[in-house]
Amino acid sequence: MPSPIPTADDLIRNGYIRRRRAIGTMMALIMFACAALSVFVTTAIVVILVEESWMFFREVPILDFLTGTMWTPVFTDAQFGVLPLLVSTLQVAFLALLIAIPMGTVMAIYLSEYASTAVRETIKPALELLEAVPTVVYGYFALIVMTPFLQKFIPGLAGINLLVPSIILGIMILPYVVSVSEDAMRAVPNGLREGAYALGMSRWQVAFRVVLPGAMSGVTAAYILGMSRAVGETMVVAIAAGQNPNLTFDPREGAATITAYIVQMSLGDLPRGTLAYSTIFSTGLLLFVITLMFNIAGFYLRKRFREVY
Amino acid sequence: MAVMTEGNLSGAAATAAAVGAITRAKRIDIVVAACGVVIMVMAMGLLLTLIGDLAIRGLGRIDYQFLTSFPSRRPENAGILSAWVGSILVMLTTAVLAIPIGVLAGLYLEEYARKNWISNLIEINVANLAGVPSIIYGLLALGLFVYGLNLGKTILVAGMTLGLLILPIVIVSTREAIRSIPLIVKEAAYGLGADKWQVMWHYIIPAARPGILTGAIVGLSRAIGETAPIITIGALTFIAFLPPPPITDSFPFISFAWLHDQFTVLPIQMFNWVSRPQEGFHINAAATGVVLMVLTLALNGMAIYIRYRLRRSVRN
């Protein structure tokens, strides 16, 4: 009978060590493959978007696409100027930021400089719930509840408009803006605060003249990343801002954004291979490039901020 | 400031000025704090209005008939049977794909990756993917899964799409959970002669489980409400049938035929009903919204509770 506790020699002889080593190597390879999947996904996104819109950009010069003011891809006299979609997309994102920036900044200052730990631990999960609400529910709320309500106060507000989705979007990205800017503010070293207090500054002076400027690159990153989210948000605008490509600067009117347009075209039954159908990929590519630029800018601002302190 | 510059003030006047400055500062502090509270109240008020409105409009519509009927042209006959079954099956597929892959990827980045350009590239990609709009994932799935691999508009494709979408969330939460494990755990395991994978499998993954679970639940709660990528793969159709059941009465008793079936999900059904003009469908949409909100709030509540428990146990 072999001894109950195997010796090192036994382990080598019966192949246990080799087996363990093989399992370790195999798992390391599997793990690497899982991590490398992210690189594959990014590459696949770029390849698919470029490849599928290749046909489109052979027919429509990029300059015409970016500067044209008429977007009528399914008309017999089709026009492919993306400006109407682009303008409403940026308009919605801008209006959403107009709400999210002041509210988010004050909220972040309150959480990082004023609130006690107990208050902060209660408020943060509550704020996160705002982010958790499915976007289609927000869309329903914007169209069926908020718009009829605001029509009583805002003359000329159409039943389908850019304003209400922007307000909802502003509230939606608020938790994100708050959490990124609060992170930045809390990373400001306490020595700066203590020095300022020692000079006789009051709490609000410390918050607005020391902490906020000190955290500025992180806070800016929060704004930019919030903008990126607002640009890419889909269902709220698809439901409440309408699907009519309309070059307007009046947020009381309805106008399709890039995302709403992609949704609208996906709902239709245009066959693959037509020029009109390939627009969902060319507009998608434009959307991807815009959000990528915002994300890269935000990424570097955040990184620079972390390096400073 | 006035106190410092005017050195010739009498003592009493200086004290008065200082007291004045302090009172003013206190008043501004109160205003700032009040602003914070007011914003919080406004945001929560909006959320409560939303929930309240959904409940008032939709709660009465939810009954046995609504939960066990297929969509219909007449709002009072319509139901969400195919939608909730579809949502559950898609979530199942998403979870099975995204959680293991995300955990292994997080483990690799945290414990295995050497500091070189490859791991740097992977990190940048994960950070970037977290910020890609969900509708772009839908276009990716349309081009890659539906056309490229010819998989059709099936539950499997929807699960894969949403799995890719929540992968960064799972990866990031896994890494955070692993980072918070005390070094002693690893050192003790290595000291007993465990090899690297044994340490990971028997000590690191179990110790990181609550954190991983929180991330997975948050990811799934996001996936269950996602509409845009699923519309983009072309899944907005009239579905008046259920996929074949996963359990069959003949050998081998388990069937994966449902993976290759067409489907609809709750947010798609809600979107479909919101965009119709009839009031009856809006009520159905509100009822679907109630079901969706209950699901997402329950999932998020679970995540918050696990995180809370975790934090308490770390402190003790």
Side-chain angles (χ1 to χ4, degrees):
Chain A
M1 223 176 122
S3 71
I5 299 172
T7 63
D9 275 347
D10 291 338
L11 291 180
I12 293 172
R13 214 174 305 121
N14 66 18
Y16 177 79
I17 300 280
R18 205 185 312 143
R19 207 159 54 240
R20 292 274 8 143
R21 211 173 266 165
I23 292 175
T25 317
M26 198 182 69
M27 287 318 297
L29 281 176
I30 292 177
M31 277 184 268
F32 176 73
C34 290
L37 182 67
S38 65
V39 181
F40 169 75
V41 173
T42 313
T43 319
I45 288 176
V46 174
V47 169
I48 295 275
L49 289 179
V50 170
E51 189 192 326
E52 296 280 334
S53 52
W54 194 252
M55 171 191 147
F56 176 83
F57 285 117
R58 253 193 344 214
E59 302 271 326
V60 183
I62 285 195
L63 206 64
D64 291 1
F65 174 68
L66 289 177
T67 57
T69 55
M70 288 290 283
W71 183 258
T72 53
V74 289
F75 287 15
T76 36
D77 173 32
Q79 300 278 322
F80 298 97
V82 82
L83 273 184
L85 303 181
L86 191 60
V87 165
S88 46
T89 302
L90 294 178
Q91 196 174 170
V92 166
F94 178 74
L95 289 173
L97 278 190
L98 226 50
I99 289 175
I101 285 183
M103 283 176 83
T105 312
V106 171
M107 196 71 207
I109 287 179
Y110 172 71
L111 284 178
S112 107
E113 304 301 313
Y114 285 83
S116 64
T117 316
V119 171
R120 189 163 46 228
E121 295 298 297
T122 329
I123 285 185
K124 286 193 90 173
L127 266 181
E128 276 166 27
L129 286 184
L130 281 175
E131 237 178 346
V133 175
T135 53
V136 64
V137 174
Y138 273 127
Y140 161 90
F141 186 68
L143 180 71
I144 309 229
V145 184
M146 279 276 273
T147 300
F149 177 71
L150 285 179
Q151 273 174 329
K152 288 180 203 154
F153 305 101
I154 302 171
L157 187 69
I160 295 269
N161 59 70
L162 289 170
L163 182 66
V164 176
S166 307
I167 297 174
I168 297 281
L169 266 185
I171 301 286
M172 260 174 75
I173 60 174
L174 180 67
Y176 186 74
V177 173
V178 169
S179 98
V180 177
S181 4
E182 196 220 342
D183 275 350
M185 288 176 192
R186 276 152 68 91
V188 171
N190 257 333
L192 287 182
R193 286 190 188 86
E194 283 153 8
Y197 281 126
L199 288 173
M201 278 189 166
S202 65
R203 195 179 267 228
W204 73 268
Q205 285 171 322
V206 172
F208 285 91
R209 294 185 188 165
V210 176
V211 176
L212 187 59
M216 210 54 216
S217 64
V219 173
T220 316
Y223 300 160
I224 292 176
L225 294 172
M227 178 93 176
S228 161
R229 291 197 160 197
V231 165
E233 183 22 63
T234 307
M235 294 320 292
V236 178
V237 282
I239 292 172
Q243 303 180 330
N244 176 28
N246 173 13
L247 186 60
T248 175
F249 291 94
D250 182 357
R252 292 174 307 174
E253 290 176 31
T257 63
I258 296 178
T259 50
Y261 171 75
I262 297 175
V263 163
Q264 183 199 2
M265 287 306 268
S266 306
L267 295 176
D269 42 12
L270 276 174
R272 187 185 179 216
T274 57
L275 191 61
Y277 184 79
S278 68
T279 54
I280 67 171
F281 288 100
S282 57
T283 49
L285 183 63
L286 178 66
L287 178 70
F288 180 70
V289 170
I290 295 173
T291 52
L292 188 68
M293 280 182 339
F294 284 134
N295 288 344
I296 290 175
F299 183 76
Y300 277 104
L301 277 171
R302 270 183 104 171
K303 205 171 148 194
R304 203 184 73 182
F305 176 76
R306 287 201 188 110
E307 274 163 9
V308 169
Y309 297 118
Chain B
M1 299 298 113
V3 183
M4 286 184 200
T5 49
E6 293 168 36
N8 55 352
L9 273 180
S10 71
T15 314
V19 168
I22 291 171
T23 339
R24 253 198 320 280
K26 279 257 160 68
R27 227 175 272 149
I28 297 177
D29 278 344
I30 292 172
V31 171
V32 175
C35 279
V37 174
V38 165
I39 291 169
M40 190 62 207
V41 168
M42 270 168 62
M44 286 300 111
L46 187 98
L47 185 64
L48 288 179
T49 318
L50 186 153
I51 294 174
D53 178 82
L54 276 182
I56 290 168
R57 266 178 233 242
L59 210 52
R61 182 71 184 84
I62 299 178
D63 51 17
Y64 184 75
Q65 177 274 328
F66 189 65
L67 295 175
T68 55
S69 300
F70 289 113
S72 158
R73 214 170 305 161
R74 266 169 301 169
E76 60 282 2
N77 292 345
I80 53 169
L81 179 62
S82 45
W84 70 256
V85 172
S87 269
I88 288 177
L89 293 176
V90 170
M91 278 313 103
L92 203 68
T93 319
T94 306
V96 166
L97 291 173
I99 297 174
I101 294 180
V103 169
L104 289 177
L107 204 56
Y108 177 82
L109 290 174
E110 206 53 39
E111 296 283 343
Y112 282 73
R114 292 197 197 94
K115 267 260 160 252
N116 57 19
W117 65 272
I118 299 179
S119 48
N120 232 337
L121 179 71
I122 293 175
E123 298 220 12
I124 292 175
N125 268 289
V126 172
N128 172 50
L129 284 179
V132 170
S134 62
I135 196 162
I136 300 286
Y137 283 92
L139 292 177
L140 167 71
L142 182 67
L144 186 64
F145 302 146
V146 179
Y147 295 141
L149 303 177
N150 238 326
L151 291 174
K153 300 155 181 182
T154 59
I155 292 178
L156 179 65
V157 167
M160 291 200 292
T161 314
L162 295 180
L164 290 182
L165 182 73
I166 68 169
L167 204 54
I169 303 177
V170 181
I171 293 178
V172 169
S173 62
T174 302
R175 295 186 67 178
E176 271 168 15
I178 292 175
R179 223 174 291 152
S180 69
I181 299 171
L183 207 59
I184 324 174
V185 175
K186 244 194 306 184
E187 283 164 354
Y190 279 127
L192 288 172
D195 65 27
K196 190 159 189 177
W197 174 247
Q198 281 173 322
V199 174
M200 296 301 136
W201 183 249
H202 293 287
Y203 298 95
I204 299 299
I205 293 180
R209 202 181 288 147
I212 293 174
L213 204 59
T214 316
I217 293 172
V218 169
L220 284 181
S221 94
R222 175 151 176 225
I224 206 168
E226 268 303 341
T227 325
I230 297 187
I231 291 182
T232 315
I233 61 174
L236 192 115
T237 36
F238 185 76
I239 301 286
F241 55 85
L242 288 183
I247 298 163
T248 54
D249 46 8
S250 62
F251 189 79
F253 304 112
I254 292 176
S255 149
F256 288 103
W258 54 270
L259 277 174
H260 301 291
D261 214 342
Q262 290 208 327
F263 68 101
T264 184
V265 288
L266 288 167
I268 297 266
Q269 191 60 65
M270 181 170 177
F271 173 64
N272 184 331
W273 281 334
V274 170
S275 30
R276 294 184 191 206
Q278 298 97 317
E279 174 70 19
F281 282 118
H282 289 173
I283 292 171
N284 284 355
T288 318
V290 170
V291 176
L292 256 181
M293 284 299 284
V294 167
L295 287 174
T296 32
L297 290 184
L299 284 173
N300 275 280
M302 226 149 77
I304 290 172
Y305 177 71
I306 294 174
R307 210 180 318 164
Y308 171 75
R309 279 263 310 262
L310 183 68
R311 218 169 271 170
R312 258 198 0 197
S313 67
V314 166
R315 220 173 281 153
N316 291 342

